[in-house]
Amino acid sequence: QVIRCKAAVAWEAGKPLVIEEVEVSLLQKMEVRLKILYTSLCHTDIYFWEAKGQNPVFPRILGHEAAGIVESVGEGVTELVPGDHVLPVFTGECKNCAHCKSEESNMCSLLRINTDRGVMIHDDQSRFSINGKPIYHFVGTSTFSEYTVVHVGCVAKINPLAPLDKVCVLSCGISTGLGATLNVVKPTKGSSVAVFGLGAVGLAAAEGARIAGASRIIGVDLNASRFELAKKFGVTEFVNPKDYNKPVQEVIAEMTDGGVDRSVECTGHIDAMISAFECVHDGWGVAVLVGVPHKEAVFKTHPMNLLNERTLKGTFFGNYKPRSDLPSVVEKYMNKELELEKFITHQLPFSDINKAFDLMLKGEGLRCIIHMEH
């Protein structure tokens, strides 16, 4: 059946979303229709809503951090049935390409993030419309809608006992920061970790360092108002680069007798990326870049920094394969190893979704959970 439901439509760049009645069409091959119960707002939604640095695709249904229940499945879908509890994910896992078959990669050739695509892969058509006019998709998820259509490879089936209003934050930002630490830089017990940028992703990286047993977690941010909250995530010391008249990597090297063991960069600013790499200890230091840079950014460092046995890595979605790995991240929350409540600072009904945008634009709070049903 075609479903009529409410969705928050972005008609043009930077203008408030409008709650409209949309039609969600029938499923094609390998597609799943989800009833979204909770969605949260992530900075990526804001970035593409503002459409300052990329191709504007409008009208569009944004949203990609969410949790819901399978409503129906299309032809060829065998591993999901109606009623399954799931997280839709902006990147996928087809399980057949070279990346999916590799132990090391999570960058599926078929389903990796494509921010310009506003249609489904199967037929290059949208599944959303208003009076026959197509409304475009966003990163394959479009969760600012009561019902959405997602490729089966972008749906992680999770423990049905997990509270969806909490674990929805694992479908993007929190998993990205957590995995950058646990899967990529892998701090050892008792080690030191510097985290650049104390937004939700940076705090998730700090949470990963706390879980791994790091003894010193140094938070670096230009906004000192973030420091108090960060203590809840295991951050033990703080550096505001504005307080010093020398590069922050030198400040950290002095604090740590030559540099930290590991660092995680979560701002996307090129200077922070260079500092994050140069602040790790020679001989064993590892830095990972998580933040997405400006398209003209260039990373410059002296090659000796690498020759002196420092490692620079990049990561995408915390190196988690969505379908294979996200269920176990949900279990970390279920067995109380990972604390998600700390990330959730606001709750709003779907009708107030524009307030969530205002909160994020003002830099207030970490994650705002939007309840689809009143």
Side-chain angles (χ1 to χ4, degrees):
Q1 295 301 123
V2 170
I3 286 181
R4 288 176 170 274
C5 70
K6 289 196 176 76
V9 177
W11 287 101
E12 52 185 306
K15 294 284 164 69
L17 305 189
V18 183
I19 306 265
E20 305 274 10
E21 183 174 75
V22 297
E23 290 195 347
V24 186
S25 70
L26 302 179
L27 296 174
Q28 302 297 321
K29 201 173 170 181
M30 302 307 280
E31 292 176 1
V32 185
R33 194 158 57 184
L34 306 180
K35 179 179 172 69
I36 298 295
L37 296 178
Y38 301 97
T39 185
S40 56
L41 183 61
C42 163
H43 204 271
T44 308
D45 297 303
I46 297 267
Y47 183 73
F48 286 92
W49 167 70
E50 291 181 325
K52 286 174 181 167
Q54 71 303 98
N55 298 333
V57 181
F58 295 99
R60 195 174 212 181
I61 296 172
L62 296 165
H64 65 283
E65 204 175 85
I69 294 173
V70 175
E71 178 269 333
S72 56
V73 300
E75 183 198 334
V77 176
T78 54
E79 60 270 55
L80 290 170
V81 295
D84 281 345
H85 286 217
V86 295
L87 301 178
V89 186
F90 64 87
T91 184
E93 181 184 353
C94 72
K95 300 201 174 181
N96 296 317
C97 71
H99 282 277
C100 286
K101 287 180 172 166
S102 149
E103 294 276 297
E104 297 175 43
S105 176
N106 66 336
M107 298 190 71
C108 175
S109 305
L110 180 69
L111 299 168
R112 74 170 68 173
I113 189 170
N114 180 338
T115 56
D116 290 339
R117 178 184 281 281
V119 292
M120 297 300 289
I121 285 175
H122 180 72
D123 57 1
D124 286 335
Q125 300 289 313
S126 171
R127 301 287 174 264
F128 299 110
S129 62
I130 295 179
N131 302 326
K133 176 183 163 62
I135 307 294
Y136 295 108
H137 294 250
F138 176 63
V139 296
T141 52
S142 292
T143 62
F144 295 165
S145 177
E146 291 174 326
Y147 289 87
T148 189
V149 176
V150 181
H151 189 285
V152 66
C154 299
V155 181
K157 180 180 170 179
I158 62 165
N159 183 342
L161 300 175
L164 296 178
D165 60 334
K166 308 289 191 296
V167 297
C168 63
V169 298
L170 290 173
S171 71
C172 177
I174 309 312
S175 296
T176 296
L178 187 74
T181 306
L182 294 179
N183 299 336
V184 187
V185 292
K186 300 177 178 168
T188 52
K189 204 166 168 51
S191 61
S192 57
V193 180
V195 176
F196 286 74
L198 298 175
V201 175
L203 292 174
E207 180 81 350
R210 181 188 72 76
I211 291 169
S215 62
R216 293 181 76 181
I217 304 174
I218 301 169
V220 184
D221 202 297
L222 295 166
N223 181 354
S225 69
R226 289 176 154 180
F227 295 166
E228 194 53 41
L229 178 62
K231 291 176 185 170
K232 282 192 193 174
F233 298 82
V235 184
T236 56
E237 297 156 74
F238 299 93
V239 174
N240 185 336
K242 289 196 279 200
D243 295 344
Y244 301 89
N245 52 12
K246 59 183 163 191
V248 70
Q249 52 269 47
E250 289 178 23
V251 176
I252 291 173
E254 283 171 17
M255 288 169 67
T256 53
D257 195 20
V260 285
D261 302 312
R262 302 286 185 262
S263 75
V264 189
E265 198 293 315
C266 304
T267 73
H269 292 293
I270 195 70
D271 295 340
M273 293 182 180
I274 294 165
S275 297
F277 173 55
E278 294 183 354
C279 81
V280 298
H281 206 290
D282 59 3
W284 63 79
V286 183
V288 63
L289 305 184
V290 181
V292 179
H294 193 272
K295 61 181 186 295
E296 269 89 57
V298 177
F299 188 97
K300 288 182 179 171
T301 191
H302 198 282
M304 279 313 295
N305 288 323
L306 285 153
L307 294 169
N308 286 335
E309 299 176 12
R310 291 178 186 85
T311 302
L312 178 62
K313 291 183 167 190
T315 178
F316 169 71
F317 192 52
N319 275 53
Y320 286 119
K321 292 179 188 270
R323 293 204 277 179
S324 304
D325 298 337
L326 278 187
S328 64
V329 185
V330 169
E331 291 313 309
K332 276 190 200 300
Y333 167 73
M334 295 300 281
N335 66 29
K336 306 214 166 24
E337 192 183 346
L338 167 63
E339 298 166 10
L340 292 178
E341 284 80 1
K342 301 183 293 197
F343 291 97
I344 298 166
T345 50
H346 296 84
Q347 315 255 355
L348 286 171
F350 188 37
S351 53
D352 285 342
I353 189 165
N354 287 304
K355 283 189 190 161
F357 277 71
D358 293 340
L359 286 167
M360 188 162 267
L361 287 166
K362 287 180 192 151
E364 287 178 27
L366 294 172
R367 279 294 183 265
C368 176
I369 307 295
I370 295 156
H371 297 245
M372 301 306 286
E373 293 181 325
H374 305 314

